[in-house]
């Protein structure tokens, strides 16, 4: 099983049905903490509106009074999904994986931090951890600033990282 980004957690949960598991750009912390970190860069007013909603969802309770400005993130039909996602701690879930594990993370990923891959590897020390220099969240090698990185998301003609393909191939063939 190979899981990317959010699919990394799903892959962890399903890994017992596989011979090997590969996490690519997987979060190493629970989604509520990551969301708070991302929203922490916003104004205090935004944090004051969003953090209580996140806390409520983390405790399993939906929120019906959502500011229209936050509706795309916390609309009622997405809240059950967020509740189910927030209950998992990837560091705990990866410990349960009994098959060989490869963790891959790009160093130029603007969505998932290198520290997340390191958290997963620390939680399960027998894993293989591979950091791919300048790889972004969508597997492209990017040497540039955030704007250049974001531009790659709309350019399907760019090749994916050959190093990533090689790492996955070698991992599958060796286990």
């Amino acid at each position: 099983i190979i899981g990317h980004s959010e699919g990394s957690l799903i892959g962890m949960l399903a890994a017992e049905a596989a011979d090997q598991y590969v996490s690519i750009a997987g979060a190493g912390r629970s989604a509520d903490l990551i969301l708070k970190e991302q929203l922490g860069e916003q104004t205090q007013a935004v944090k004051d509106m969003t953090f209580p909603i996140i806390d409520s969802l983390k405790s399993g309770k939906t929120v019906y009074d959502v500011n229209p400005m936050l509706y795309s993130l916390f609309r009622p039909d997405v809240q059950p999904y967020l509740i189910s996602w927030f209950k998992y701690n990837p560091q705990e879930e990866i410990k349960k994986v009994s098959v060989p594990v490869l963790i891959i993370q790009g160093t130029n990923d603007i969505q998932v931090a290198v520290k997340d891959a390191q958290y997963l590897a620390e939680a399960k020390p027998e894993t293989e951890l591979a950091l791919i220099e300048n790889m972004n969240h969508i597997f492209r090698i990017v040497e540039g600033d955030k704007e250049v990185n974001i531009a790659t998301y709309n350019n399907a003609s760019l090749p994916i990282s050959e190093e990533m393909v090689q790492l996955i191939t070698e991992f599958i063939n060796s286990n």
Side-chain angles (χ1 to χ4, degrees), residues 141-173:
I141 301 300
V142 180
E143 296 187 24
D145 62 11
K146 186 174 182 178
E147 190 174 302
V148 173
N149 196 332
I150 291 170
T152 67
Y153 283 60
N154 295 314
N155 187 350
S157 67
L158 293 173
I160 63 172
S161 166
E162 290 179 27
E163 182 179 354
M164 180 189 70
V165 172
Q166 181 180 358
L167 285 166
I168 293 170
T169 302
E170 289 173 1
F171 178 73
I172 290 171
N173 290 331

Side-chain angles (χ1 to χ4, degrees), residues 64-93:
Y64 297 100
D65 186 23
V66 176
N67 184 305
M69 180 176 79
L70 304 173
Y71 204 73
S72 65
L73 185 58
F74 298 115
R75 67 186 183 276
D77 64 332
V78 80
Q79 289 185 30
Y81 164 73
L82 292 172
I83 288 170
S84 70
W85 188 22
F86 288 176
K87 73 179 181 178
Y88 291 102
N89 177 342
Q91 292 174 52
E92 293 303 316
E93 297 307 320

Side-chain angles (χ1 to χ4, degrees), residues 36-87:
K36 280 185 173 182
E37 180 180 287
Q38 291 170 344
L39 291 167
E41 300 172 8
Q42 301 297 318
T43 65
Q44 188 61 45
V46 170
K47 290 187 278 190
D48 289 344
M49 285 189 290
T50 58
F51 284 22
I53 295 172
I54 294 168
D55 291 341
S56 179
L57 297 172
K58 175 72 175 175
S59 71
K61 297 178 184 145
T62 56
V63 177
Y64 297 100
D65 186 23
V66 176
N67 184 305
M69 180 176 79
L70 304 173
Y71 204 73
S72 65
L73 185 58
F74 298 115
R75 67 186 183 276
D77 64 332
V78 80
Q79 289 185 30
Y81 164 73
L82 292 172
I83 288 170
S84 70
W85 188 22
F86 288 176
K87 73 179 181 178

Side-chain angles (χ1 to χ4, degrees), residues 5 24-29 34 37-38 103-120 129 131 135 137:
S5 195
I24 307 171
R29 298 164 288 149
I34 293 171
E37 180 180 287
Q38 291 170 344
I103 299 168
I104 298 175
Q105 179 64 46
T107 63
N108 206 358
D109 189 328
I110 56 175
Q111 292 181 246
V112 178
V114 168
K115 68 182 175 184
D116 284 291
Q118 292 167 332
Y119 292 148
L120 291 175
L129 172 61
L131 301 178
M135 187 176 82
H137 194 70

